[in-house]
Amino acid sequence: ALRRMRGERSLLVELAEDGIWAASASGQSGSPGSPHYCDQTESWHAGHEHFLPLQADEVKQAAAAVLHLVPQN
């Protein structure tokens, strides 16, 4: 069942056996300076979700980019 969560960010979520179907009103990024800010707003408004896999190999295959964060000493 689809659930609309409200709070600081509005999110549509549907759990599936192999992943999550979701759309966020503020987009992939919650940062207004990002090109991905509000990139899911139309989908969210229409009730259309994007599939997010949960298995590590599927996540790697679906990734558009990888960000490595390295702590400074």
Side-chain angles (χ1 to χ4, degrees), residues 3-56:
R3 300 193 187 254
R4 261 187 209 259
M5 297 185 201
R6 298 206 186 272
E8 189 173 311
R9 294 179 67 167
S10 294
L11 183 68
L12 281 175
V13 177
E14 183 173 359
L15 300 177
E17 203 169 296
D18 54 348
I20 297 170
W21 289 93
S24 173
S26 61
Q28 183 66 24
S29 172
S31 176
S34 169
H36 299 290
Y37 183 70
C38 292
D39 64 354
Q40 296 180 23
T41 304
E42 290 181 25
S43 295
W44 175 84
H45 192 293
H48 300 140
E49 309 85 36
H50 306 278
F51 184 71
L52 304 170
L54 295 177
Q55 301 298 321

